[in-house]
Amino acid sequence: MADDADTPELDDLPPVLRRIAEVAGVVAAVQLARDHGGTEIYIRKKLDNDHVLVRSVGMRAAALILDALGAGVLEVPMGPNCYGARLARSIAERHAAGQSEREIARALRCHIRTVRRHRAKLPSPQLDLFD
């Protein structure tokens, strides 16, 4: 299972994983993304210990997911494990540490436009007018 230090916030998850996290927990959603992200799995109406979902997240979480999503094909997003999500987190962390766009681009081996695009999505620090 996922380590608590690697567990993202609900808002950081794509909608499908967010829904799974709401019913079965964030750890289960992240584990499912780690095990099957970028693929489809078929959720059967009846779960057993050999089912792919049960092997990934356990019987209790799998039953909660089945109740919430129903049986059928589930396209599992990559979620916080994909390269883009990891890159966005690294850019945000380096920006918060005061690195320049050029330093970030060179350190992460990405284009400076990528750094600018991700930085533009970051919340800007709001100035307090009463300070």
Side-chain angles (χ1 to χ4, degrees):
M1 284 288 188
D3 176 344
D4 282 344
D6 296 333
T7 305
E9 298 294 323
L10 265 179
D11 293 340
D12 296 335
L13 298 174
V16 171
L17 292 180
R18 188 176 311 130
R19 179 69 180 127
I20 290 170
E22 288 169 350
V23 298
V26 175
V27 172
V30 170
Q31 186 64 43
L32 185 62
R34 282 191 178 132
D35 291 347
H36 302 287
T39 66
E40 295 177 337
I41 61 172
Y42 183 77
I43 301 176
R44 296 188 303 242
K45 291 179 185 177
K46 300 232 182 213
L47 299 172
D48 59 39
N49 289 330
D50 195 40
H51 190 279
V52 65
L53 185 60
V54 174
R55 287 194 317 258
S56 180
V57 299
M59 183 60 82
R60 184 177 183 289
L64 293 169
I65 294 168
L66 172 61
D67 288 344
L69 303 180
V73 175
L74 173 64
E75 290 183 4
V76 182
M78 293 290 292
N81 305 314
C82 74
Y83 172 75
R86 290 191 316 265
L87 180 63
R89 281 193 303 272
S90 294
I91 289 171
E93 289 166 0
R94 289 172 181 272
H95 171 64
Q99 289 186 355
S100 71
E101 291 175 344
R102 183 174 187 270
E103 290 171 327
I104 295 170
R106 291 193 67 167
L108 298 178
R109 301 183 53 83
C110 66
H111 202 284
I112 197 165
R113 288 183 304 218
T114 302
V115 175
R116 289 177 181 149
R117 187 177 65 247
H118 284 286
R119 282 187 59 198
K121 295 176 188 176
L122 294 174
S124 61
Q126 188 174 10
L127 300 176
D128 188 352
L129 297 175
F130 301 106
D131 270 352

